[in-house]
Amino acid sequence: MRTVDPAKHEARRRQILAAATRCFARKGFGQTRTADICAEAGMSSGNLFHYFESKHAIFAAIVEQDGIETDALFAELSTMDPWAALTAFFDLLVDLADDEYAKLALEISAEANRDERIAELVTANDRTLRAGLAALVERATAAGRIEPGVDADTAATWLTVLVDGLFNRVAVDPSFAPKRERETLRQVVARVLQAN
Amino acid sequence: MRTVDPAKHEARRRQILAAATRCFARKGFGQTRTADICAEAGMSSGNLFHYFESKHAIFAAIVEQDGIETDALFAELSTMDPWAALTAFFDLLVDLADDEYAKLALEISAEANRDERIAELVTANDRTLRAGLAALVERATAAGRIEPGVDADTAATWLTVLVDGLFNRVAVDPSFAPKRERETLRQVVARVLQAN
């Protein structure tokens, strides 16, 4: 009887998700075939189907993984000084926002339009993101780092406008280099968090 | 010999673009068939192909039309007081940003990833938008409405981050009502345009 090594299984699963991410970012969800993902991951389709039953399941797993990582990130940020955590969050965003990530984010948003399961996952991830940001804003206000009178939920919503907008810029404007914009982004974030 | 009434031809063309916009927003570019557009526009495929040779040509025409309208809008805004023009621009955005428009914007950005012609049109439209906003920022600075020291191109780039981010919010978050956020958006715009 074959036994499954869980660490090996998980590593293989991650390898498929990484390969699929590259394919989806490059060709879009609709035009990526399972065969493309197999080729990119360097495995047979029989082997791939051992991990995921369909292209759709792989795509959903990528969105789910994104939610798990957002959760883990905010768990970590919740132990930090809240203002330092907000700065760290947007710094991380700048580091993540490369062409592949930005194009995948667009694919996910577009796919959520026409696929209920993806829409559910995207809505849940978005809620996690906004709740995490709102909690940081609340803590930063309690710590006196943000002036009283800033509504945490409204502020969090506008911070997610910046998050989405930043990714869109990277995907659409080849002259936009997020790493060069790090300081400006910090400044814009600080201004969005000003009291009325 | 049949003669073509140019006004009637243009009206028919617009009707097709409006019908196609609804289809693309609802089902996405990939899953929309020409037959869907014909049904939505209430015309035969023979008639439709008289105006556009393919689904792709219709999609490209929508993106092109968007560019023409952006051009016309900034021509109009350039005759106004620059600060009033900036306010009017973001007010218009709030009025435009319904679910259909936001979902279409996502489809266009996603399609630009994998189609060179669409990418060219999107890049050109984006350049028009940024140039128009930068010109308004420059004029507002010259008029003393924005403090000196604000770089017009950088400011315009961050204003487009807000534009993109706002549309994404509408597409992704059903609880986000842009019309309720009009005042907050004005405030965020004013803050992005603060000097260092």
Side-chain angles (χ1 to χ4, degrees), chain B residues 1-20:
Chain B
M1 208 173 143
R2 260 176 81 187
T3 55
V4 175
D5 175 343
K8 219 168 168 181
H9 184 90
E10 178 59 21
R12 210 78 174 117
R13 207 178 160 273
R14 293 274 188 149
Q15 184 191 341
I16 296 168
L17 294 184

Side-chain angles (χ1 to χ4, degrees), chain B:
Chain B
M1 208 173 143
R2 260 176 81 187
T3 55
V4 175
D5 175 343
K8 219 168 168 181
H9 184 90
E10 178 59 21
R12 210 78 174 117
R13 207 178 160 273
R14 293 274 188 149
Q15 184 191 341
I16 296 168
L17 294 184
T21 293
R22 292 191 291 276
C23 293
F24 291 137
R26 210 182 297 142
K27 298 180 79 172
F29 176 73
Q31 281 171 276
T32 297
R33 296 162 311 147
T34 312
D36 299 324
I37 301 172
C38 292
E40 183 77 24
M43 58 170 61
S44 71
S45 64
N47 201 353
L48 185 120
F49 284 122
H50 182 65
Y51 294 86
F52 294 102
E53 66 181 356
S54 64
K55 177 177 88 163
H56 182 272
I58 299 176
F59 195 75
I62 289 173
V63 184
E64 221 168 352
Q65 186 61 36
D66 191 42
I68 292 168
E69 284 168 15
T70 305
D71 251 337
L73 173 65
F74 278 102
E76 201 186 316
L77 294 175
S78 73
T79 66
M80 290 171 63
D81 165 79
W83 191 261
L86 281 167
T87 306
F89 172 80
F90 281 96
D91 268 0
L92 180 67
L93 205 71
V94 164
D95 291 330
L96 279 178
D98 62 8
D99 205 51
E100 182 181 300
Y101 199 97
K103 287 184 171 171
L104 183 73
L106 266 179
E107 273 308 306
I108 292 172
S109 300
E111 213 42 44
N113 271 353
R114 33 183 185 265
D115 183 313
E116 223 170 300
R117 174 71 188 131
I118 303 299
E120 277 172 18
L121 290 168
V122 166
T123 304
N125 291 359
D126 188 60
R127 220 175 276 143
T128 304
L129 175 65
R130 274 186 293 139
L133 289 171
L136 289 180
V137 170
E138 250 172 45
R139 282 210 296 128
T141 307
R145 193 57 188 79
I146 296 176
E147 282 174 62
V150 172
D151 179 70
D153 287 330
T154 304
T157 294
W158 285 93
L159 292 180
T160 59
V161 167
L162 293 180
V163 173
D164 295 344
L166 192 83
F167 282 125
N168 251 54
R169 265 307 86 201
V170 173
V172 163
D173 176 4
S175 75
F176 184 81
K179 290 189 179 63
R180 275 208 313 262
E181 302 284 338
R182 197 185 292 272
E183 277 311 311
T184 314
L185 176 59
R186 283 188 185 183
Q187 202 175 54
V188 170
V189 168
R191 287 175 184 179
V192 166
L193 295 174
Q194 282 170 14
N196 290 332

Side-chain angles (χ1 to χ4, degrees), chain A residues 107 114 126 158 169 191 195, chain B residues 107 114 126 169 191 195:
Chain A
E107 274 307 308
R114 34 184 184 265
D126 188 60
W158 284 93
R169 267 304 87 198
R191 286 175 185 179
Chain B
E107 273 308 306
R114 33 183 185 265
D126 188 60
R169 265 307 86 201
R191 287 175 184 179

